[in-house]
Amino acid sequence: MSLTALDESTIPSVKGGVVAILRSKWHDELVRNMATACTRVLLDHGIESVEDHEVPGTLELPLAVRVLSDKRVHDAFVCLSVVEKGSTAHFDMIVHATTDALQRISIDQKVPVINEIIAVYDISDAIARASNDEFNKGIEAAAAALEMIDFVRTSR
């Protein structure tokens, strides 16, 4: 497994704005680690407000994003979750359905929806990506949100 740390000095800053972080309850410690890293980077790069929302599981993320997106107050959404493959096809159904739904919402609502659902076959891979270090995927999720907020603002 090869992980690369993102150079935070390359992340664009934006002025103001509201980002909602939506996180699932499963693998709570890992998901909270990602949310904490994501929030820090967003605030360090100019976001005015970061909302934190918890949903029961990964499959509930799209509805939560859709409900919040109707308010038209968020500049971006960041979805955080860890899904570990078990012995059934449930893993594949959840990951594919959620990913497709989040992408549809992003396109239909014209708002960045960052998908940082860590889908793993072994929980050690999630631990490597969601620990409190420079490899935390919450950092990359924040960077993607900031880049897309900047893109949307400058493309209008």
Side-chain angles (χ1 to χ4, degrees), residues 106-143:
S106 181
I107 292 167
D108 291 348
Q109 298 291 95
K110 296 182 180 131
V111 63
V113 178
I114 309 307
N115 176 351
E116 197 58 63
I117 298 170
I118 300 177
V120 297
Y121 296 106
D122 187 295
I123 199 64
S124 65
D125 291 326
I127 293 168
R129 290 163 174 79
S131 293
N132 291 318
D133 60 22
E134 70 273 18
F135 302 112
N136 186 302
K137 293 297 183 181
I139 297 167
E140 291 180 20

PDB file of all heavy atoms in Angstrom, residues 106-143:
ATOM      1  N   SER A 106     -24.713  16.332  -7.241  1.00  0.00           N
ATOM      2  CA  SER A 106     -23.731  17.366  -7.553  1.00  0.00           C
ATOM      3  C   SER A 106     -24.034  18.007  -8.904  1.00  0.00           C
ATOM      4  O   SER A 106     -24.051  19.239  -9.033  1.00  0.00           O
ATOM      5  CB  SER A 106     -22.327  16.762  -7.551  1.00  0.00           C
ATOM      6  OG  SER A 106     -21.358  17.741  -7.834  1.00  0.00           O
ATOM      7  N   ILE A 107     -24.289  17.200  -9.899  1.00  0.00           N
ATOM      8  CA  ILE A 107     -24.564  17.708 -11.244  1.00  0.00           C
ATOM      9  C   ILE A 107     -25.915  18.414 -11.296  1.00  0.00           C
ATOM     10  O   ILE A 107     -26.027  19.523 -11.813  1.00  0.00           O
ATOM     11  CB  ILE A 107     -24.484  16.565 -12.272  1.00  0.00           C
ATOM     12  CG1 ILE A 107     -23.027  16.090 -12.383  1.00  0.00           C
ATOM     13  CG2 ILE A 107     -25.027  17.008 -13.628  1.00  0.00           C
ATOM     14  CD1 ILE A 107     -22.849  14.789 -13.117  1.00  0.00           C
ATOM     15  N   ASP A 108     -26.944  17.793 -10.748  1.00  0.00           N
ATOM     16  CA  ASP A 108     -28.291  18.377 -10.799  1.00  0.00           C
ATOM     17  C   ASP A 108     -28.373  19.689 -10.021  1.00  0.00           C
ATOM     18  O   ASP A 108     -29.025  20.634 -10.459  1.00  0.00           O
ATOM     19  CB  ASP A 108     -29.331  17.408 -10.242  1.00  0.00           C
ATOM     20  CG  ASP A 108     -29.541  16.191 -11.131  1.00  0.00           C
ATOM     21  OD1 ASP A 108     -29.065  16.196 -12.290  1.00  0.00           O
ATOM     22  OD2 ASP A 108     -30.170  15.227 -10.653  1.00  0.00           O
ATOM     23  N   GLN A 109     -27.731  19.754  -8.864  1.00  0.00           N
ATOM     24  CA  GLN A 109     -27.804  20.940  -8.008  1.00  0.00           C
ATOM     25  C   GLN A 109     -26.700  21.961  -8.318  1.00  0.00           C
ATOM     26  O   GLN A 109     -26.684  23.048  -7.754  1.00  0.00           O
ATOM     27  CB  GLN A 109     -27.718  20.539  -6.534  1.00  0.00           C
ATOM     28  CG  GLN A 109     -28.847  19.660  -6.052  1.00  0.00           C
ATOM     29  CD  GLN A 109     -30.151  20.415  -6.000  1.00  0.00           C
ATOM     30  OE1 GLN A 109     -30.928  20.377  -6.932  1.00  0.00           O
ATOM     31  NE2 GLN A 109     -30.393  21.104  -4.910  1.00  0.00           N
ATOM     32  N   LYS A 110     -25.754  21.563  -9.160  1.00  0.00           N
ATOM     33  CA  LYS A 110     -24.619  22.425  -9.519  1.00  0.00           C
ATOM     34  C   LYS A 110     -23.850  22.880  -8.285  1.00  0.00           C
ATOM     35  O   LYS A 110     -23.532  24.062  -8.112  1.00  0.00           O
ATOM     36  CB  LYS A 110     -25.084  23.607 -10.348  1.00  0.00           C
ATOM     37  CG  LYS A 110     -25.673  23.205 -11.674  1.00  0.00           C
ATOM     38  CD  LYS A 110     -26.079  24.404 -12.484  1.00  0.00           C
ATOM     39  CE  LYS A 110     -26.666  23.908 -13.792  1.00  0.00           C
ATOM     40  NZ  LYS A 110     -27.923  24.513 -14.129  1.00  0.00           N
ATOM     41  N   VAL A 111     -23.566  21.920  -7.417  1.00  0.00           N
ATOM     42  CA  VAL A 111     -22.821  22.190  -6.192  1.00  0.00           C
ATOM     43  C   VAL A 111     -21.789  21.071  -6.006  1.00  0.00           C
ATOM     44  O   VAL A 111     -22.094  19.902  -6.275  1.00  0.00           O
ATOM     45  CB  VAL A 111     -23.765  22.284  -4.971  1.00  0.00           C
ATOM     46  CG1 VAL A 111     -24.480  20.984  -4.708  1.00  0.00           C
ATOM     47  CG2 VAL A 111     -23.032  22.756  -3.734  1.00  0.00           C
ATOM     48  N   PRO A 112     -20.582  21.404  -5.592  1.00  0.00           N
ATOM     49  CA  PRO A 112     -19.589  20.360  -5.360  1.00  0.00           C
ATOM     50  C   PRO A 112     -20.015  19.412  -4.231  1.00  0.00           C
ATOM     51  O   PRO A 112     -20.382  19.855  -3.147  1.00  0.00           O
ATOM     52  CB  PRO A 112     -18.328  21.131  -4.963  1.00  0.00           C
ATOM     53  CG  PRO A 112     -18.524  22.506  -5.518  1.00  0.00           C
ATOM     54  CD  PRO A 112     -20.001  22.753  -5.439  1.00  0.00           C
ATOM     55  N   VAL A 113     -19.975  18.130  -4.530  1.00  0.00           N
ATOM     56  CA  VAL A 113     -20.211  17.087  -3.532  1.00  0.00           C
ATOM     57  C   VAL A 113     -18.973  16.198  -3.560  1.00  0.00           C
ATOM     58  O   VAL A 113     -18.753  15.468  -4.527  1.00  0.00           O
ATOM     59  CB  VAL A 113     -21.482  16.269  -3.818  1.00  0.00           C
ATOM     60  CG1 VAL A 113     -21.650  15.167  -2.766  1.00  0.00           C
ATOM     61  CG2 VAL A 113     -22.719  17.165  -3.860  1.00  0.00           C
ATOM     62  N   ILE A 114     -18.180  16.289  -2.532  1.00  0.00           N
ATOM     63  CA  ILE A 114     -16.926  15.541  -2.460  1.00  0.00           C
ATOM     64  C   ILE A 114     -17.200  14.202  -1.794  1.00  0.00           C
ATOM     65  O   ILE A 114     -17.731  14.144  -0.688  1.00  0.00           O
ATOM     66  CB  ILE A 114     -15.855  16.329  -1.677  1.00  0.00           C
ATOM     67  CG1 ILE A 114     -15.719  17.761  -2.216  1.00  0.00           C
ATOM     68  CG2 ILE A 114     -14.530  15.572  -1.673  1.00  0.00           C
ATOM     69  CD1 ILE A 114     -15.476  17.884  -3.708  1.00  0.00           C
ATOM     70  N   ASN A 115     -16.829  13.152  -2.475  1.00  0.00           N
ATOM     71  CA  ASN A 115     -17.083  11.786  -2.025  1.00  0.00           C
ATOM     72  C   ASN A 115     -15.789  11.205  -1.475  1.00  0.00           C
ATOM     73  O   ASN A 115     -14.903  10.826  -2.234  1.00  0.00           O
ATOM     74  CB  ASN A 115     -17.597  10.953  -3.200  1.00  0.00           C
ATOM     75  CG  ASN A 115     -17.794   9.496  -2.857  1.00  0.00           C
ATOM     76  OD1 ASN A 115     -17.403   9.028  -1.801  1.00  0.00           O
ATOM     77  ND2 ASN A 115     -18.403   8.772  -3.770  1.00  0.00           N
ATOM     78  N   GLU A 116     -15.682  11.154  -0.172  1.00  0.00           N
ATOM     79  CA  GLU A 116     -14.529  10.499   0.463  1.00  0.00           C
ATOM     80  C   GLU A 116     -15.050   9.314   1.260  1.00  0.00           C
ATOM     81  O   GLU A 116     -14.923   9.240   2.476  1.00  0.00           O
ATOM     82  CB  GLU A 116     -13.754  11.491   1.333  1.00  0.00           C
ATOM     83  CG  GLU A 116     -12.364  11.011   1.685  1.00  0.00           C
ATOM     84  CD  GLU A 116     -11.506  10.713   0.476  1.00  0.00           C
ATOM     85  OE1 GLU A 116     -11.208  11.614  -0.311  1.00  0.00           O
ATOM     86  OE2 GLU A 116     -11.130   9.524   0.323  1.00  0.00           O
ATOM     87  N   ILE A 117     -15.663   8.408   0.526  1.00  0.00           N
ATOM     88  CA  ILE A 117     -16.103   7.143   1.100  1.00  0.00           C
ATOM     89  C   ILE A 117     -14.948   6.176   0.903  1.00  0.00           C
ATOM     90  O   ILE A 117     -14.580   5.856  -0.225  1.00  0.00           O
ATOM     91  CB  ILE A 117     -17.380   6.620   0.422  1.00  0.00           C
ATOM     92  CG1 ILE A 117     -18.518   7.612   0.646  1.00  0.00           C
ATOM     93  CG2 ILE A 117     -17.735   5.230   0.942  1.00  0.00           C
ATOM     94  CD1 ILE A 117     -19.755   7.323  -0.179  1.00  0.00           C
ATOM     95  N   ILE A 118     -14.354   5.765   1.980  1.00  0.00           N
ATOM     96  CA  ILE A 118     -13.230   4.843   1.909  1.00  0.00           C
ATOM     97  C   ILE A 118     -13.792   3.431   1.917  1.00  0.00           C
ATOM     98  O   ILE A 118     -14.323   2.974   2.926  1.00  0.00           O
ATOM     99  CB  ILE A 118     -12.253   5.061   3.080  1.00  0.00           C
ATOM    100  CG1 ILE A 118     -11.704   6.483   3.045  1.00  0.00           C
ATOM    101  CG2 ILE A 118     -11.126   4.036   3.034  1.00  0.00           C
ATOM    102  CD1 ILE A 118     -10.795   6.815   4.205  1.00  0.00           C
ATOM    103  N   ALA A 119     -13.707   2.779   0.780  1.00  0.00           N
ATOM    104  CA  ALA A 119     -14.198   1.408   0.627  1.00  0.00           C
ATOM    105  C   ALA A 119     -13.001   0.473   0.666  1.00  0.00           C
ATOM    106  O   ALA A 119     -12.108   0.570  -0.179  1.00  0.00           O
ATOM    107  CB  ALA A 119     -14.957   1.273  -0.690  1.00  0.00           C
ATOM    108  N   VAL A 120     -12.977  -0.408   1.656  1.00  0.00           N
ATOM    109  CA  VAL A 120     -11.798  -1.250   1.869  1.00  0.00           C
ATOM    110  C   VAL A 120     -12.167  -2.720   2.037  1.00  0.00           C
ATOM    111  O   VAL A 120     -13.277  -3.046   2.444  1.00  0.00           O
ATOM    112  CB  VAL A 120     -10.989  -0.783   3.100  1.00  0.00           C
ATOM    113  CG1 VAL A 120     -10.452   0.625   2.893  1.00  0.00           C
ATOM    114  CG2 VAL A 120     -11.817  -0.848   4.367  1.00  0.00           C
ATOM    115  N   TYR A 121     -11.211  -3.567   1.716  1.00  0.00           N
ATOM    116  CA  TYR A 121     -11.352  -4.999   1.946  1.00  0.00           C
ATOM    117  C   TYR A 121     -10.811  -5.391   3.316  1.00  0.00           C
ATOM    118  O   TYR A 121     -11.159  -6.431   3.849  1.00  0.00           O
ATOM    119  CB  TYR A 121     -10.631  -5.791   0.848  1.00  0.00           C
ATOM    120  CG  TYR A 121     -11.237  -5.567  -0.514  1.00  0.00           C
ATOM    121  CD1 TYR A 121     -10.597  -4.787  -1.457  1.00  0.00           C
ATOM    122  CD2 TYR A 121     -12.466  -6.128  -0.837  1.00  0.00           C
ATOM    123  CE1 TYR A 121     -11.162  -4.573  -2.698  1.00  0.00           C
ATOM    124  CE2 TYR A 121     -13.038  -5.919  -2.080  1.00  0.00           C
ATOM    125  CZ  TYR A 121     -12.381  -5.139  -3.006  1.00  0.00           C
ATOM    126  OH  TYR A 121     -12.950  -4.926  -4.233  1.00  0.00           O
ATOM    127  N   ASP A 122      -9.948  -4.551   3.843  1.00  0.00           N
ATOM    128  CA  ASP A 122      -9.334  -4.808   5.145  1.00  0.00           C
ATOM    129  C   ASP A 122      -9.315  -3.498   5.915  1.00  0.00           C
ATOM    130  O   ASP A 122      -8.867  -2.467   5.389  1.00  0.00           O
ATOM    131  CB  ASP A 122      -7.910  -5.341   4.946  1.00  0.00           C
ATOM    132  CG  ASP A 122      -7.283  -5.793   6.238  1.00  0.00           C
ATOM    133  OD1 ASP A 122      -7.073  -4.929   7.117  1.00  0.00           O
ATOM    134  OD2 ASP A 122      -6.985  -6.997   6.370  1.00  0.00           O
ATOM    135  N   ILE A 123      -9.776  -3.500   7.145  1.00  0.00           N
ATOM    136  CA  ILE A 123      -9.894  -2.277   7.938  1.00  0.00           C
ATOM    137  C   ILE A 123      -8.547  -1.587   8.142  1.00  0.00           C
ATOM    138  O   ILE A 123      -8.499  -0.357   8.318  1.00  0.00           O
ATOM    139  CB  ILE A 123     -10.606  -2.548   9.285  1.00  0.00           C
ATOM    140  CG1 ILE A 123     -11.141  -1.243   9.883  1.00  0.00           C
ATOM    141  CG2 ILE A 123      -9.704  -3.284  10.241  1.00  0.00           C
ATOM    142  CD1 ILE A 123     -12.196  -0.555   9.077  1.00  0.00           C
ATOM    143  N   SER A 124      -7.454  -2.313   8.032  1.00  0.00           N
ATOM    144  CA  SER A 124      -6.138  -1.677   8.186  1.00  0.00           C
ATOM    145  C   SER A 124      -5.906  -0.635   7.092  1.00  0.00           C
ATOM    146  O   SER A 124      -5.205   0.356   7.308  1.00  0.00           O
ATOM    147  CB  SER A 124      -5.020  -2.725   8.182  1.00  0.00           C
ATOM    148  OG  SER A 124      -4.950  -3.370   6.932  1.00  0.00           O
ATOM    149  N   ASP A 125      -6.495  -0.851   5.924  1.00  0.00           N
ATOM    150  CA  ASP A 125      -6.371   0.142   4.851  1.00  0.00           C
ATOM    151  C   ASP A 125      -7.118   1.429   5.201  1.00  0.00           C
ATOM    152  O   ASP A 125      -6.675   2.527   4.876  1.00  0.00           O
ATOM    153  CB  ASP A 125      -6.884  -0.426   3.528  1.00  0.00           C
ATOM    154  CG  ASP A 125      -5.988  -1.525   2.986  1.00  0.00           C
ATOM    155  OD1 ASP A 125      -4.756  -1.443   3.185  1.00  0.00           O
ATOM    156  OD2 ASP A 125      -6.513  -2.468   2.376  1.00  0.00           O
ATOM    157  N   ALA A 126      -8.242   1.326   5.855  1.00  0.00           N
ATOM    158  CA  ALA A 126      -8.980   2.513   6.302  1.00  0.00           C
ATOM    159  C   ALA A 126      -8.220   3.220   7.408  1.00  0.00           C
ATOM    160  O   ALA A 126      -8.144   4.461   7.430  1.00  0.00           O
ATOM    161  CB  ALA A 126     -10.376   2.127   6.767  1.00  0.00           C
ATOM    162  N   ILE A 127      -7.649   2.456   8.315  1.00  0.00           N
ATOM    163  CA  ILE A 127      -6.867   3.049   9.403  1.00  0.00           C
ATOM    164  C   ILE A 127      -5.703   3.859   8.827  1.00  0.00           C
ATOM    165  O   ILE A 127      -5.426   4.972   9.280  1.00  0.00           O
ATOM    166  CB  ILE A 127      -6.380   1.968  10.387  1.00  0.00           C
ATOM    167  CG1 ILE A 127      -7.588   1.366  11.123  1.00  0.00           C
ATOM    168  CG2 ILE A 127      -5.348   2.529  11.357  1.00  0.00           C
ATOM    169  CD1 ILE A 127      -7.283   0.096  11.898  1.00  0.00           C
ATOM    170  N   ALA A 128      -5.054   3.339   7.810  1.00  0.00           N
ATOM    171  CA  ALA A 128      -3.932   4.040   7.181  1.00  0.00           C
ATOM    172  C   ALA A 128      -4.371   5.342   6.523  1.00  0.00           C
ATOM    173  O   ALA A 128      -3.575   6.280   6.398  1.00  0.00           O
ATOM    174  CB  ALA A 128      -3.259   3.132   6.154  1.00  0.00           C
ATOM    175  N   ARG A 129      -5.636   5.431   6.114  1.00  0.00           N
ATOM    176  CA  ARG A 129      -6.141   6.601   5.405  1.00  0.00           C
ATOM    177  C   ARG A 129      -6.929   7.563   6.297  1.00  0.00           C
ATOM    178  O   ARG A 129      -7.338   8.627   5.844  1.00  0.00           O
ATOM    179  CB  ARG A 129      -7.015   6.151   4.241  1.00  0.00           C
ATOM    180  CG  ARG A 129      -6.220   5.510   3.127  1.00  0.00           C
ATOM    181  CD  ARG A 129      -7.101   4.711   2.176  1.00  0.00           C
ATOM    182  NE  ARG A 129      -6.327   4.220   1.050  1.00  0.00           N
ATOM    183  CZ  ARG A 129      -5.532   3.158   1.082  1.00  0.00           C
ATOM    184  NH1 ARG A 129      -5.414   2.469   2.209  1.00  0.00           N
ATOM    185  NH2 ARG A 129      -4.860   2.776   0.013  1.00  0.00           N
ATOM    186  N   ALA A 130      -7.159   7.185   7.530  1.00  0.00           N
ATOM    187  CA  ALA A 130      -7.987   8.017   8.404  1.00  0.00           C
ATOM    188  C   ALA A 130      -7.382   8.209   9.789  1.00  0.00           C
ATOM    189  O   ALA A 130      -8.080   8.566  10.723  1.00  0.00           O
ATOM    190  CB  ALA A 130      -9.379   7.406   8.515  1.00  0.00           C
ATOM    191  N   SER A 131      -6.091   7.996   9.905  1.00  0.00           N
ATOM    192  CA  SER A 131      -5.421   8.254  11.171  1.00  0.00           C
ATOM    193  C   SER A 131      -5.078   9.734  11.262  1.00  0.00           C
ATOM    194  O   SER A 131      -5.175  10.465  10.279  1.00  0.00           O
ATOM    195  CB  SER A 131      -4.150   7.403  11.284  1.00  0.00           C
ATOM    196  OG  SER A 131      -4.506   6.034  11.387  1.00  0.00           O
ATOM    197  N   ASN A 132      -4.662  10.160  12.424  1.00  0.00           N
ATOM    198  CA  ASN A 132      -4.328  11.569  12.635  1.00  0.00           C
ATOM    199  C   ASN A 132      -2.902  11.854  12.178  1.00  0.00           C
ATOM    200  O   ASN A 132      -2.002  12.069  12.980  1.00  0.00           O
ATOM    201  CB  ASN A 132      -4.506  11.942  14.111  1.00  0.00           C
ATOM    202  CG  ASN A 132      -5.950  11.940  14.509  1.00  0.00           C
ATOM    203  OD1 ASN A 132      -6.808  12.415  13.766  1.00  0.00           O
ATOM    204  ND2 ASN A 132      -6.248  11.398  15.673  1.00  0.00           N
ATOM    205  N   ASP A 133      -2.724  11.847  10.851  1.00  0.00           N
ATOM    206  CA  ASP A 133      -1.416  12.137  10.275  1.00  0.00           C
ATOM    207  C   ASP A 133      -1.606  12.802   8.913  1.00  0.00           C
ATOM    208  O   ASP A 133      -2.727  13.111   8.513  1.00  0.00           O
ATOM    209  CB  ASP A 133      -0.558  10.869  10.180  1.00  0.00           C
ATOM    210  CG  ASP A 133      -1.182   9.773   9.320  1.00  0.00           C
ATOM    211  OD1 ASP A 133      -2.039  10.069   8.468  1.00  0.00           O
ATOM    212  OD2 ASP A 133      -0.796   8.602   9.493  1.00  0.00           O
ATOM    213  N   GLU A 134      -0.518  13.012   8.210  1.00  0.00           N
ATOM    214  CA  GLU A 134      -0.563  13.718   6.926  1.00  0.00           C
ATOM    215  C   GLU A 134      -1.205  12.904   5.797  1.00  0.00           C
ATOM    216  O   GLU A 134      -1.443  13.427   4.711  1.00  0.00           O
ATOM    217  CB  GLU A 134       0.850  14.173   6.514  1.00  0.00           C
ATOM    218  CG  GLU A 134       1.783  13.044   6.126  1.00  0.00           C
ATOM    219  CD  GLU A 134       2.537  12.406   7.298  1.00  0.00           C
ATOM    220  OE1 GLU A 134       2.134  12.582   8.464  1.00  0.00           O
ATOM    221  OE2 GLU A 134       3.525  11.722   7.041  1.00  0.00           O
ATOM    222  N   PHE A 135      -1.514  11.629   6.034  1.00  0.00           N
ATOM    223  CA  PHE A 135      -2.142  10.792   5.020  1.00  0.00           C
ATOM    224  C   PHE A 135      -3.668  10.751   5.154  1.00  0.00           C
ATOM    225  O   PHE A 135      -4.344  10.064   4.401  1.00  0.00           O
ATOM    226  CB  PHE A 135      -1.579   9.369   5.085  1.00  0.00           C
ATOM    227  CG  PHE A 135      -0.086   9.323   4.906  1.00  0.00           C
ATOM    228  CD1 PHE A 135       0.740   8.961   5.951  1.00  0.00           C
ATOM    229  CD2 PHE A 135       0.494   9.673   3.700  1.00  0.00           C
ATOM    230  CE1 PHE A 135       2.120   8.935   5.797  1.00  0.00           C
ATOM    231  CE2 PHE A 135       1.872   9.649   3.533  1.00  0.00           C
ATOM    232  CZ  PHE A 135       2.693   9.281   4.585  1.00  0.00           C
ATOM    233  N   ASN A 136      -4.205  11.479   6.112  1.00  0.00           N
ATOM    234  CA  ASN A 136      -5.638  11.492   6.381  1.00  0.00           C
ATOM    235  C   ASN A 136      -6.394  12.009   5.161  1.00  0.00           C
ATOM    236  O   ASN A 136      -6.116  13.096   4.654  1.00  0.00           O
ATOM    237  CB  ASN A 136      -5.896  12.385   7.603  1.00  0.00           C
ATOM    238  CG  ASN A 136      -7.322  12.351   8.068  1.00  0.00           C
ATOM    239  OD1 ASN A 136      -8.232  12.667   7.316  1.00  0.00           O
ATOM    240  ND2 ASN A 136      -7.522  12.005   9.329  1.00  0.00           N
ATOM    241  N   LYS A 137      -7.349  11.236   4.685  1.00  0.00           N
ATOM    242  CA  LYS A 137      -8.111  11.583   3.484  1.00  0.00           C
ATOM    243  C   LYS A 137      -9.043  12.772   3.696  1.00  0.00           C
ATOM    244  O   LYS A 137      -9.543  13.348   2.734  1.00  0.00           O
ATOM    245  CB  LYS A 137      -8.897  10.375   2.969  1.00  0.00           C
ATOM    246  CG  LYS A 137      -7.999   9.263   2.443  1.00  0.00           C
ATOM    247  CD  LYS A 137      -7.201   9.743   1.256  1.00  0.00           C
ATOM    248  CE  LYS A 137      -6.362   8.643   0.656  1.00  0.00           C
ATOM    249  NZ  LYS A 137      -5.569   9.093  -0.487  1.00  0.00           N
ATOM    250  N   GLY A 138      -9.263  13.169   4.939  1.00  0.00           N
ATOM    251  CA  GLY A 138     -10.022  14.388   5.189  1.00  0.00           C
ATOM    252  C   GLY A 138      -9.316  15.612   4.626  1.00  0.00           C
ATOM    253  O   GLY A 138      -9.960  16.568   4.186  1.00  0.00           O
ATOM    254  N   ILE A 139      -7.997  15.577   4.610  1.00  0.00           N
ATOM    255  CA  ILE A 139      -7.200  16.668   4.037  1.00  0.00           C
ATOM    256  C   ILE A 139      -7.470  16.771   2.543  1.00  0.00           C
ATOM    257  O   ILE A 139      -7.723  17.852   2.011  1.00  0.00           O
ATOM    258  CB  ILE A 139      -5.698  16.454   4.315  1.00  0.00           C
ATOM    259  CG1 ILE A 139      -5.431  16.472   5.821  1.00  0.00           C
ATOM    260  CG2 ILE A 139      -4.845  17.495   3.577  1.00  0.00           C
ATOM    261  CD1 ILE A 139      -4.050  15.968   6.221  1.00  0.00           C
ATOM    262  N   GLU A 140      -7.439  15.636   1.859  1.00  0.00           N
ATOM    263  CA  GLU A 140      -7.692  15.629   0.421  1.00  0.00           C
ATOM    264  C   GLU A 140      -9.128  16.020   0.095  1.00  0.00           C
ATOM    265  O   GLU A 140      -9.390  16.704  -0.902  1.00  0.00           O
ATOM    266  CB  GLU A 140      -7.372  14.260  -0.171  1.00  0.00           C
ATOM    267  CG  GLU A 140      -5.891  13.948  -0.161  1.00  0.00           C
ATOM    268  CD  GLU A 140      -5.570  12.588  -0.749  1.00  0.00           C
ATOM    269  OE1 GLU A 140      -6.394  12.033  -1.504  1.00  0.00           O
ATOM    270  OE2 GLU A 140      -4.479  12.085  -0.457  1.00  0.00           O
ATOM    271  N   ALA A 141     -10.063  15.611   0.937  1.00  0.00           N
ATOM    272  CA  ALA A 141     -11.464  15.980   0.728  1.00  0.00           C
ATOM    273  C   ALA A 141     -11.625  17.493   0.837  1.00  0.00           C
ATOM    274  O   ALA A 141     -12.319  18.112   0.016  1.00  0.00           O
ATOM    275  CB  ALA A 141     -12.355  15.260   1.733  1.00  0.00           C
ATOM    276  N   ALA A 142     -10.993  18.091   1.829  1.00  0.00           N
ATOM    277  CA  ALA A 142     -11.058  19.552   1.983  1.00  0.00           C
ATOM    278  C   ALA A 142     -10.426  20.249   0.786  1.00  0.00           C
ATOM    279  O   ALA A 142     -10.970  21.230   0.272  1.00  0.00           O
ATOM    280  CB  ALA A 142     -10.360  19.973   3.274  1.00  0.00           C
ATOM    281  N   ALA A 143      -9.288  19.751   0.338  1.00  0.00           N
ATOM    282  CA  ALA A 143      -8.618  20.347  -0.822  1.00  0.00           C
ATOM    283  C   ALA A 143      -9.521  20.292  -2.050  1.00  0.00           C
ATOM    284  O   ALA A 143      -9.641  21.279  -2.793  1.00  0.00           O
ATOM    285  CB  ALA A 143      -7.301  19.627  -1.094  1.00  0.00           C
TER     286      ALA A 143
END
